Amino acid sequence: MRHSRPQLCAAKMLRMNPIQFPLPQERIPRTWYNLLADLPEPMAPPLHPGTLQPIGPEDLAPLFPMALIQQEVSTQREIEIPDPVRQVYAQWRPSPLFRARRLEKALDTPAKIYYKYEGVSPAGSHKPNTAVAQAYYNKVEGTKRLATETGAGQWGSSLAMACAFFGLECKVYMVRVSYNQKPYRRALMEAFGATVAASPSTETECGRAILAEHPDTPGSLGIAISEAVEVAAKDPETKYALGSVLNHVLLHQTVIGLEAIEQMAMAGDEPDVIVGCTGGGSNFAGLAFPYLGRKIHGQSKARVVAVEPAACPSLTKGPFRYDFGDTSHLTPLVKMHTLGSTFIPPGIHAGGLRYHGMAPLVSHVLELGLIEATTVQQLDAFAAGIQFARAEGILPAPEANHAVAAAIREALAAKAEGRERTILFNLSGHGHFDMQSYIDYQAGKLENFEYPAEEIAMALAGLPSVE
Ligand SMILES: *Cc1c(COP(=O)(O)O)cnc(C)c1O
């Protein structure tokens, strides 16, 4: 075929200025990367909530299938991804890595900005990376039904989809403020066949107890987790699935970083800064942990930055202590950065970031000085998301806006210093189900929340005394 001159020029220009680094399908990772294998110091063990002694696999057996319990404590560096899981991944993986050239131009920065885009999954976020794996292992071990919590509905819709793929029933407790703010996510879960209740609900003892005390509560992830755990603990055919925080969830997300390492090599660049937003820590860990492994082995010097909302700042303001994962204290105690399990975060629109604690593994690497943490206010997050959308055409999820805002901050700092800097961030999902929050933002109805110091102090005063 013969090309006219302008077409030839365009083709040449794209080759010189590529914006996408496509990996072939056979490069979908065959193994997940387990950071536990490379930690310079081991993590503190989870403790039984009654005896305060380290728990064993049998303590978790009512809640999780054995394969996931083993992954939770495994120190094997590479863990094989089962073929049926890889087969589902192939629908949207490898996910694209883009260079944000138009955003760089808009910011007039010498920095290069790359982003890994997880919004290409059918549910619109990174969450199916673990939902599919969890549904698969449950199916293999004979589970009939999964019970879970969801904040904004990203996790609930991902698990509902995965349950539909593997023939499991799915019950979702959705944080009430999100249940009201995000009816389309609920509709999506129901379309996939899940049953959804606003949490706290009257269906569980935990829910009823909280409603009796706080009838107008907006709910929280901690409460919704209590409800789902209660249901799973009481029914031998039901198990529990968690969308973040646990080691095995972070493990499943490492496909993101493993692919990104190859794609950055295609781009001929090494990141100087890696950025991810943190609710429970899973999308951040997914991108960052494979790089942290390299950092521990002296193969990467990248700074790694976790970004959380100023209204729910567990990593930056919460002490590193043993605490419960849920409000009603049904879960084991884990050592993590926490604002206190009874803390109910303000109703920010980034529902996926409204969790009182942080993944123990992310907390641990912060303690070891391997990562940094920072915060972003709600209005700055939305302003960044809008700027990103105008430059790149993708409207991020409110959670992902926090990563966008921090990446822009890094790019502007590079400009102020007159230095180059290669930034890589995780765009964890799109915001197409979060349009009400954008409507409210554009109408000037969103506000920044002050750091809720008093409520946090109260919740922290109630921390269990272990140590
Ligand atoms: C759930 C969610 C988050 C927060 O959860 P992590 O486990 O911290 O990743 C961030 N972004 C999106 C799009 C989400 O759906």
Side-chain angles (χ1 to χ4, degrees):
M1 210 172 101
R2 309 185 85 216
H3 290 288
S4 68
R5 261 202 102 64
Q7 267 177 332
L8 262 183
C9 281
K12 218 168 169 184
M13 198 185 81
L14 268 180
R15 231 176 297 133
M16 281 164 49
N17 295 315
I19 59 163
Q20 202 194 142
F21 305 90
L23 270 188
Q25 281 222 306
E26 61 270 19
R27 300 302 305 169
I28 295 172
R30 291 184 183 279
T31 54
W32 291 298
Y33 166 68
N34 183 10
L35 182 63
L36 260 58
D38 288 319
L39 285 179
E41 282 173 39
M43 295 170 69
L47 305 180
H48 190 281
T51 64
L52 301 186
Q53 293 305 305
I55 54 167
E58 64 289 352
D59 292 310
L60 293 174
L63 295 184
F64 301 105
M66 213 30 90
L68 293 177
I69 295 172
Q70 281 163 0
Q71 288 180 1
E72 194 60 23
V73 295
S74 171
T75 51
Q76 194 183 316
R77 183 169 292 111
E78 288 174 338
I79 295 180
E80 195 179 324
I81 304 175
D83 279 338
V85 174
R86 250 183 120 239
Q87 190 67 40
V88 178
Y89 281 176
Q91 189 180 349
W92 70 90
R93 308 212 69 85
S95 69
L97 180 92
F98 294 108
R99 175 147 172 212
R101 289 186 185 270
R102 288 185 301 268
L103 180 64
E104 290 170 13
K105 205 164 166 207
L107 297 170
D108 187 26
T109 173
K112 297 178 192 172
I113 306 173
Y114 292 89
Y115 59 100
K116 181 78 167 153
Y117 184 40
E118 289 296 310
V120 292
S121 80
S125 77
H126 64 289
K127 298 245 171 50
N129 296 332
T130 183
V132 170
Q134 293 190 47
Y136 167 78
Y137 289 118
N138 272 288
K139 183 66 183 181
V140 168
E141 295 189 30
T143 306
K144 276 200 110 143
R145 188 180 309 104
L146 284 175
T148 197
E149 74 294 329
T150 196
Q154 290 269 20
W155 168 242
S157 47
S158 302
L159 191 69
M161 178 189 84
C163 283
F165 289 171
F166 290 104
L168 296 165
E169 290 170 37
C170 184
K171 172 79 206 192
V172 184
Y173 292 90
M174 183 171 190
V175 175
R176 187 199 276 172
V177 57
S178 293
Y179 185 91
N180 295 331
Q181 277 173 354
K182 303 189 172 165
Y184 296 153
R185 276 274 167 211
R186 189 198 336 153
L188 183 61
M189 289 183 253
E190 287 167 352
F192 286 135
T195 322
V196 186
S199 167
S201 76
T202 52
E203 294 175 10
T204 64
E205 272 178 46
C206 304
R208 287 190 294 271
I210 288 162
L211 280 175
E213 222 182 304
H214 309 282
D216 298 324
T217 180
S220 70
L221 280 165
I223 296 170
I225 292 172
S226 295
E227 294 204 271
V229 168
E230 179 184 322
V231 167
K234 283 182 174 165
D235 176 1
E237 298 199 312
T238 301
K239 294 227 183 290
Y240 170 64
L242 185 59
S244 186
V245 177
L246 296 176
N247 295 346
H248 68 263
V249 179
L250 276 46
L251 172 79
H252 300 154
Q253 294 296 350
T254 58
V255 287
I256 302 171
L258 292 167
E259 289 173 5
I261 286 174
E262 287 203 44
Q263 288 165 307
M264 288 301 293
M266 288 171 85
D269 265 324
E270 263 294 319
D272 301 310
V273 191
I274 295 163
V275 176
C277 67
T278 44
S282 75
N283 87 85
F284 164 79
L287 178 66
F289 281 7
Y291 278 103
L292 276 189
R294 299 176 60 153
K295 191 166 166 171
I296 291 165
H297 289 114
Q299 295 158 340
S300 165
K301 292 201 186 80
R303 287 168 47 227
V304 180
V305 183
V307 192
E308 55 186 12
C312 189
S314 53
L315 274 177
T316 49
K317 293 260 177 80
F320 185 50
R321 292 274 302 272
Y322 270 106
D323 196 6
F324 295 94
D326 72 316
T327 307
S328 300
H329 299 174
L330 304 179
T331 70
L333 289 161
V334 291
K335 197 165 183 189
M336 61 181 172
H337 281 278
T338 180
L339 300 169
S341 59
T342 55
F343 170 58
I344 299 189
I348 53 169
H349 277 268
L353 306 184
R354 289 182 68 243
Y355 184 60
H356 67 271
M358 183 54 61
L361 191 45
V362 171
S363 300
H364 184 68
V365 292
L366 180 70
E367 286 308 296
L368 293 178
L370 289 167
I371 67 167
E372 312 163 21
T374 186
T375 60
V376 169
Q377 282 281 7
Q378 170 153 272
L379 292 179
D380 296 333
F382 273 90
I386 295 279
Q387 183 172 27
F388 183 82
R390 289 182 187 172
E392 297 297 313
I394 300 171
L395 190 71
E399 292 84 2
N401 282 343
H402 291 73
V404 175
I408 290 177
R409 218 188 258 165
E410 290 288 341
L412 292 178
K415 179 178 168 179
E417 292 161 23
R419 274 204 267 173
E420 286 192 7
R421 182 175 297 180
T422 301
I423 301 160
L424 168 63
F425 77 91
N426 201 9
L427 190 63
S428 51
H430 68 63
H432 298 176
F433 287 90
D434 303 283
M435 295 316 297
Q436 189 59 48
S437 58
Y438 280 93
I439 291 172
D440 292 348
Y441 172 70
Q442 303 276 31
K445 287 191 197 156
L446 293 195
E447 50 178 346
N448 286 335
F449 287 94
E450 283 309 308
Y451 170 69
E454 256 176 56
E455 288 100 280
I456 291 175
M458 249 164 59
L460 287 176
L463 280 188
S465 42
V466 189
E467 255 112 1

